[in-house]
Amino acid sequence: MSSSRQTTTPASPVIPDKLFFKIGEVCELVGVQAHVLRYWESEFPMLQPQKNRAGQRTYRRKDVEMALRIKELLYDEGFTIAGARKRLMNEGRGVSARLKIVTSSGPSVEAVPQPPNGTGESALRESLAGSAARPLSRDALFRLRLMLEDLLTDLRQDS
């Protein structure tokens, strides 16, 4: 899902500002049953929630957004599973195509794509902006780590 896409359209629910969601919470937000989500996980490689130590699925915000996008493609736009998978892969490539490849002679950072507003990362951006002298909180560092892990996962999927 591209960062310019809003996740709070009139047809989609407002996603709570939290780091992890249980499968029941995602089912309620997306409006499908758990077996449907599990089936989508087998058909869509971009929907891969992690499992905790007990083996329970833990969805991140990007997983919830992806499930909402899959539902939109299948139910609202009438795509087949294969068609929706292809569309999502093409949308994912558009995000990675905006990243700048940095050489050793170039600058270390050209531009960092911003996550969508209202996702909880706005607090992280605020804590990072203009605060070079102030140390980051544990929460800000944890959120930064999650964002970097998500970016790395996306980059691995595109290659």
Side-chain angles (χ1 to χ4, degrees):
M1 187 180 276
S2 71
S3 61
S4 63
R5 180 170 177 72
Q6 295 294 322
T7 59
T8 57
T9 60
S12 65
V14 174
I15 302 171
D17 189 18
K18 54 193 260 184
L19 294 176
F20 299 104
F21 300 84
K22 294 179 181 179
I23 193 167
E25 295 171 312
V26 179
C27 290
E28 197 171 307
L29 286 168
V30 177
V32 297
Q33 294 183 356
H35 71 273
V36 175
L37 280 178
R38 290 190 299 268
Y39 174 70
W40 287 352
E41 290 171 25
S42 70
E43 293 294 328
F44 296 93
M46 58 287 298
L47 180 62
Q48 293 297 317
Q50 296 180 351
K51 292 188 178 180
N52 63 18
R53 291 180 185 156
Q56 297 173 330
R57 288 167 171 80
T58 55
Y59 292 81
R60 292 185 185 169
R61 177 177 210 79
K62 73 171 193 139
D63 297 315
V64 176
E65 291 170 347
M66 183 58 64
L68 287 167
R69 180 66 177 136
I70 290 169
K71 181 182 179 189
E72 179 182 341
L73 289 171
L74 296 176
Y75 293 23
D76 299 338
E77 297 182 29
F79 278 82
T80 63
I81 294 283
R85 184 184 316 114
K86 186 174 181 180
R87 169 66 67 91
L88 289 170
M89 288 192 172
N90 288 337
E91 288 176 2
R93 285 191 184 99
V95 170
S96 65
R98 291 194 307 267
L99 297 176
K100 182 180 183 345
I101 298 174
V102 178
T103 62
S104 59
S105 62
S108 60
V109 175
E110 173 71 14
V112 176
Q114 295 294 319
N117 288 330
T119 63
E121 285 85 6
S122 60
L124 174 63
R125 281 198 305 271
E126 290 172 11
S127 69
L128 292 175
S131 63
R134 184 179 53 171
L136 296 176
S137 69
R138 287 187 93 141
D139 185 52
L141 288 172
F142 182 72
R143 288 181 182 207
L144 179 60
R145 176 183 171 192
L146 291 177
M147 288 173 26
L148 291 172
E149 287 173 352
D150 289 345
L151 179 60
L152 184 59
T153 300
D154 292 343
L155 290 173
R156 285 181 180 150
Q157 287 177 353
D158 288 343
S159 54

